[in-house]
Amino acid sequence: MAGEGQMLQAAREEKKWSFTYTEEITKIRVRYIQALEEEKYDILPGTTYVKGYLRTYAKQLGLNSDEIIDLYNASAKPEAINVFETPSKYVKVRPLWVRPAIIASMAVLAIVLLIAIKAFSQSGNKLDPPYVPAALPSAPQTEQTTPPPNTPVVTDPTNVVANTQEGLTAQLVFTQPCWIEVRVDGQPALQGTFTAGTTKEVKATSKIELVSVGNAGGLSITLNGKALPSLGKAGQVLRNVVLTKENLN
């Protein structure tokens, strides 16, 4: 095998995903998932479906989909080109009335083939429709004013709470579909793909670790009441991002 199937299988086994769970996450049938991992591409409908499934499967596993496609292209066999040889003997010409019958038969066959392809694409293709990232609201503009002389300075109470609060509390807001795996104080706490608009709260004593983030631009984090900067761009994959109280400074 060229290697893309082994990479997909290794990534799935590393996440300890069963075939049933993988089908639920990727919306790809189990028999097609097995075919991708074993590189038995003749089981799939065609080259277009193979590349689509490979790209979707790789993204859900947090792999570089372009690298997977390049490996597939390197191993793909070129389609055979039919070579027509000139017959050495004269071919007997059929009567003219036979030709319309052949044309009609070919037309009927083409219609049946189109109907079968359409029915298969509606029932067999489980690829997720492409999502359009929602526009994020811009940060509000604030004015800074200088207090008059002898005016006591008031410390922001939210900042004091953020730095003196016992433990860590992280609010995870998903603005785009995003795969994430989280550990709290070294123990598994959260794993899965979350849709836009979902909010999750994670609490820890000293450390929150984002083991894997499949779409850094689709995740906003508030730690102990303080909003943290964006982790990255849309579609960017991050690993081993650690949140501690030092992030509040």
mmCIF file of all heavy atoms in Angstrom, residues 142-168:
data_model
loop_
_atom_site.group_PDB
_atom_site.id
_atom_site.type_symbol
_atom_site.label_atom_id
_atom_site.label_comp_id
_atom_site.label_asym_id
_atom_site.label_seq_id
_atom_site.Cartn_x
_atom_site.Cartn_y
_atom_site.Cartn_z
ATOM 1 N N THR A 142 -13.893 50.830 23.162
ATOM 2 C CA THR A 142 -13.982 51.448 24.482
ATOM 3 C C THR A 142 -13.076 52.664 24.539
ATOM 4 O O THR A 142 -12.014 52.702 23.879
ATOM 5 C CB THR A 142 -13.573 50.454 25.577
ATOM 6 O OG1 THR A 142 -12.239 50.016 25.323
ATOM 7 C CG2 THR A 142 -14.500 49.250 25.590
ATOM 8 N N GLU A 143 -13.478 53.643 25.261
ATOM 9 C CA GLU A 143 -12.682 54.849 25.424
ATOM 10 C C GLU A 143 -11.992 54.825 26.776
ATOM 11 O O GLU A 143 -12.565 54.413 27.780
ATOM 12 C CB GLU A 143 -13.575 56.093 25.325
ATOM 13 C CG GLU A 143 -14.210 56.273 23.941
ATOM 14 C CD GLU A 143 -15.005 57.560 23.863
ATOM 15 O OE1 GLU A 143 -15.040 58.255 24.904
ATOM 16 O OE2 GLU A 143 -15.537 57.859 22.803
ATOM 17 N N GLN A 144 -10.750 55.262 26.802
ATOM 18 C CA GLN A 144 -10.004 55.338 28.035
ATOM 19 C C GLN A 144 -9.940 56.795 28.497
ATOM 20 O O GLN A 144 -9.553 57.680 27.730
ATOM 21 C CB GLN A 144 -8.579 54.797 27.857
ATOM 22 C CG GLN A 144 -8.541 53.316 27.503
ATOM 23 C CD GLN A 144 -7.133 52.813 27.373
ATOM 24 O OE1 GLN A 144 -6.197 53.600 27.425
ATOM 25 N NE2 GLN A 144 -6.988 51.506 27.226
ATOM 26 N N THR A 145 -10.371 57.030 29.702
ATOM 27 C CA THR A 145 -10.370 58.394 30.243
ATOM 28 C C THR A 145 -9.449 58.462 31.436
ATOM 29 O O THR A 145 -9.267 57.490 32.164
ATOM 30 C CB THR A 145 -11.789 58.801 30.673
ATOM 31 O OG1 THR A 145 -12.244 57.869 31.643
ATOM 32 C CG2 THR A 145 -12.737 58.767 29.480
ATOM 33 N N THR A 146 -8.835 59.620 31.634
ATOM 34 C CA THR A 146 -7.915 59.827 32.757
ATOM 35 C C THR A 146 -8.695 60.363 33.942
ATOM 36 O O THR A 146 -9.390 61.389 33.831
ATOM 37 C CB THR A 146 -6.829 60.829 32.372
ATOM 38 O OG1 THR A 146 -6.154 60.340 31.210
ATOM 39 C CG2 THR A 146 -5.837 61.001 33.519
ATOM 40 N N PRO A 147 -8.668 59.700 35.104
ATOM 41 C CA PRO A 147 -9.433 60.169 36.258
ATOM 42 C C PRO A 147 -8.868 61.475 36.771
ATOM 43 O O PRO A 147 -7.682 61.747 36.652
ATOM 44 C CB PRO A 147 -9.252 59.036 37.275
ATOM 45 C CG PRO A 147 -7.982 58.370 36.879
ATOM 46 C CD PRO A 147 -7.899 58.496 35.397
ATOM 47 N N PRO A 148 -9.729 62.343 37.334
ATOM 48 C CA PRO A 148 -9.252 63.623 37.893
ATOM 49 C C PRO A 148 -8.357 63.376 39.084
ATOM 50 O O PRO A 148 -8.339 62.291 39.660
ATOM 51 C CB PRO A 148 -10.563 64.319 38.303
ATOM 52 C CG PRO A 148 -11.527 63.209 38.500
ATOM 53 C CD PRO A 148 -11.168 62.188 37.501
ATOM 54 N N PRO A 149 -7.578 64.422 39.498
ATOM 55 C CA PRO A 149 -6.657 64.267 40.645
ATOM 56 C C PRO A 149 -7.404 63.866 41.901
ATOM 57 O O PRO A 149 -8.564 64.229 42.105
ATOM 58 C CB PRO A 149 -6.026 65.655 40.772
ATOM 59 C CG PRO A 149 -6.200 66.281 39.439
ATOM 60 C CD PRO A 149 -7.467 65.738 38.880
ATOM 61 N N ASN A 150 -6.699 63.119 42.781
ATOM 62 C CA ASN A 150 -7.231 62.683 44.071
ATOM 63 C C ASN A 150 -8.437 61.763 43.939
ATOM 64 O O ASN A 150 -9.237 61.621 44.865
ATOM 65 C CB ASN A 150 -7.600 63.893 44.948
ATOM 66 C CG ASN A 150 -6.404 64.796 45.202
ATOM 67 O OD1 ASN A 150 -5.273 64.298 45.319
ATOM 68 N ND2 ASN A 150 -6.637 66.105 45.271
ATOM 69 N N THR A 151 -8.632 61.172 42.749
ATOM 70 C CA THR A 151 -9.730 60.229 42.558
ATOM 71 C C THR A 151 -9.195 58.819 42.760
ATOM 72 O O THR A 151 -8.211 58.433 42.115
ATOM 73 C CB THR A 151 -10.329 60.341 41.150
ATOM 74 O OG1 THR A 151 -10.803 61.664 40.972
ATOM 75 C CG2 THR A 151 -11.481 59.356 40.976
ATOM 76 N N PRO A 152 -9.784 58.044 43.672
ATOM 77 C CA PRO A 152 -9.265 56.681 43.918
ATOM 78 C C PRO A 152 -9.424 55.816 42.685
ATOM 79 O O PRO A 152 -10.427 55.903 41.977
ATOM 80 C CB PRO A 152 -10.121 56.171 45.077
ATOM 81 C CG PRO A 152 -11.366 56.991 45.004
ATOM 82 C CD PRO A 152 -10.958 58.352 44.520
ATOM 83 N N VAL A 153 -8.401 55.006 42.421
ATOM 84 C CA VAL A 153 -8.434 54.101 41.273
ATOM 85 C C VAL A 153 -9.172 52.836 41.679
ATOM 86 O O VAL A 153 -8.836 52.199 42.681
ATOM 87 C CB VAL A 153 -7.005 53.752 40.809
ATOM 88 C CG1 VAL A 153 -7.061 52.775 39.656
ATOM 89 C CG2 VAL A 153 -6.259 55.026 40.420
ATOM 90 N N VAL A 154 -10.173 52.447 40.890
ATOM 91 C CA VAL A 154 -10.976 51.254 41.166
ATOM 92 C C VAL A 154 -10.440 50.106 40.336
ATOM 93 O O VAL A 154 -10.366 50.212 39.113
ATOM 94 C CB VAL A 154 -12.463 51.492 40.855
ATOM 95 C CG1 VAL A 154 -13.261 50.226 41.144
ATOM 96 C CG2 VAL A 154 -12.990 52.655 41.678
ATOM 97 N N THR A 155 -10.050 49.050 40.964
ATOM 98 C CA THR A 155 -9.537 47.871 40.256
ATOM 99 C C THR A 155 -10.689 47.080 39.665
ATOM 100 O O THR A 155 -11.743 46.942 40.285
ATOM 101 C CB THR A 155 -8.751 46.975 41.213
ATOM 102 O OG1 THR A 155 -7.729 47.751 41.820
ATOM 103 C CG2 THR A 155 -8.132 45.804 40.479
ATOM 104 N N ASP A 156 -10.496 46.573 38.445
ATOM 105 C CA ASP A 156 -11.525 45.776 37.775
ATOM 106 C C ASP A 156 -11.798 44.516 38.590
ATOM 107 O O ASP A 156 -10.920 43.660 38.737
ATOM 108 C CB ASP A 156 -11.052 45.386 36.369
ATOM 109 C CG ASP A 156 -12.123 44.625 35.618
ATOM 110 O OD1 ASP A 156 -13.241 44.480 36.145
ATOM 111 O OD2 ASP A 156 -11.822 44.195 34.492
ATOM 112 N N PRO A 157 -13.005 44.366 39.187
ATOM 113 C CA PRO A 157 -13.280 43.202 40.042
ATOM 114 C C PRO A 157 -13.231 41.891 39.300
ATOM 115 O O PRO A 157 -12.870 40.872 39.853
ATOM 116 C CB PRO A 157 -14.683 43.489 40.578
ATOM 117 C CG PRO A 157 -15.305 44.392 39.569
ATOM 118 C CD PRO A 157 -14.178 45.249 39.053
ATOM 119 N N THR A 158 -13.567 41.912 37.995
ATOM 120 C CA THR A 158 -13.545 40.647 37.236
ATOM 121 C C THR A 158 -12.133 40.133 37.083
ATOM 122 O O THR A 158 -11.878 38.940 37.099
ATOM 123 C CB THR A 158 -14.181 40.843 35.861
ATOM 124 O OG1 THR A 158 -13.433 41.825 35.142
ATOM 125 C CG2 THR A 158 -15.622 41.291 35.993
ATOM 126 N N ASN A 159 -11.158 41.073 36.943
ATOM 127 C CA ASN A 159 -9.759 40.655 36.807
ATOM 128 C C ASN A 159 -9.236 40.086 38.113
ATOM 129 O O ASN A 159 -8.451 39.138 38.137
ATOM 130 C CB ASN A 159 -8.908 41.833 36.359
ATOM 131 C CG ASN A 159 -7.497 41.423 35.982
ATOM 132 O OD1 ASN A 159 -7.320 40.381 35.364
ATOM 133 N ND2 ASN A 159 -6.511 42.220 36.349
ATOM 134 N N VAL A 160 -9.686 40.676 39.260
ATOM 135 C CA VAL A 160 -9.256 40.164 40.558
ATOM 136 C C VAL A 160 -9.785 38.759 40.776
ATOM 137 O O VAL A 160 -9.087 37.852 41.206
ATOM 138 C CB VAL A 160 -9.736 41.100 41.682
ATOM 139 C CG1 VAL A 160 -9.414 40.496 43.035
ATOM 140 C CG2 VAL A 160 -9.089 42.467 41.529
ATOM 141 N N VAL A 161 -11.058 38.557 40.403
ATOM 142 C CA VAL A 161 -11.660 37.236 40.561
ATOM 143 C C VAL A 161 -10.947 36.211 39.696
ATOM 144 O O VAL A 161 -10.694 35.085 40.102
ATOM 145 C CB VAL A 161 -13.161 37.288 40.206
ATOM 146 C CG1 VAL A 161 -13.743 35.889 40.205
ATOM 147 C CG2 VAL A 161 -13.900 38.172 41.203
ATOM 148 N N ALA A 162 -10.570 36.619 38.464
ATOM 149 C CA ALA A 162 -9.924 35.689 37.536
ATOM 150 C C ALA A 162 -8.597 35.205 38.072
ATOM 151 O O ALA A 162 -8.197 34.081 37.827
ATOM 152 C CB ALA A 162 -9.738 36.357 36.176
ATOM 153 N N ASN A 163 -7.881 36.101 38.847
ATOM 154 C CA ASN A 163 -6.548 35.715 39.315
ATOM 155 C C ASN A 163 -6.565 35.062 40.695
ATOM 156 O O ASN A 163 -5.585 34.442 41.094
ATOM 157 C CB ASN A 163 -5.638 36.939 39.334
ATOM 158 C CG ASN A 163 -5.215 37.354 37.953
ATOM 159 O OD1 ASN A 163 -4.256 36.843 37.423
ATOM 160 N ND2 ASN A 163 -5.948 38.255 37.336
ATOM 161 N N THR A 164 -7.654 35.278 41.476
ATOM 162 C CA THR A 164 -7.694 34.711 42.827
ATOM 163 C C THR A 164 -8.614 33.508 42.915
ATOM 164 O O THR A 164 -8.680 32.865 43.953
ATOM 165 C CB THR A 164 -8.151 35.786 43.829
ATOM 166 O OG1 THR A 164 -9.466 36.240 43.472
ATOM 167 C CG2 THR A 164 -7.185 36.959 43.840
ATOM 168 N N GLN A 165 -9.352 33.212 41.881
ATOM 169 C CA GLN A 165 -10.291 32.086 41.907
ATOM 170 C C GLN A 165 -9.550 30.769 42.071
ATOM 171 O O GLN A 165 -8.496 30.549 41.488
ATOM 172 C CB GLN A 165 -11.105 32.080 40.611
ATOM 173 C CG GLN A 165 -12.073 30.904 40.524
ATOM 174 C CD GLN A 165 -12.858 30.957 39.225
ATOM 175 O OE1 GLN A 165 -12.997 32.014 38.640
ATOM 176 N NE2 GLN A 165 -13.348 29.838 38.795
ATOM 177 N N GLU A 166 -10.102 29.912 42.922
ATOM 178 C CA GLU A 166 -9.512 28.603 43.126
ATOM 179 C C GLU A 166 -9.692 27.740 41.877
ATOM 180 O O GLU A 166 -10.793 27.660 41.331
ATOM 181 C CB GLU A 166 -10.155 27.915 44.326
ATOM 182 C CG GLU A 166 -9.838 28.556 45.670
ATOM 183 C CD GLU A 166 -8.376 28.372 46.061
ATOM 184 O OE1 GLU A 166 -7.791 27.365 45.617
ATOM 185 O OE2 GLU A 166 -7.850 29.220 46.781
ATOM 186 N N GLY A 167 -8.628 27.092 41.418
ATOM 187 C CA GLY A 167 -8.727 26.197 40.268
ATOM 188 C C GLY A 167 -8.920 26.948 38.957
ATOM 189 O O GLY A 167 -8.712 28.160 38.856
ATOM 190 N N LEU A 168 -9.312 26.208 37.928
ATOM 191 C CA LEU A 168 -9.510 26.752 36.578
ATOM 192 C C LEU A 168 -10.895 26.374 36.074
ATOM 193 O O LEU A 168 -11.345 25.249 36.274
ATOM 194 C CB LEU A 168 -8.449 26.196 35.616
ATOM 195 C CG LEU A 168 -6.987 26.577 35.904
ATOM 196 C CD1 LEU A 168 -6.068 25.784 34.979
ATOM 197 C CD2 LEU A 168 -6.780 28.063 35.700
#
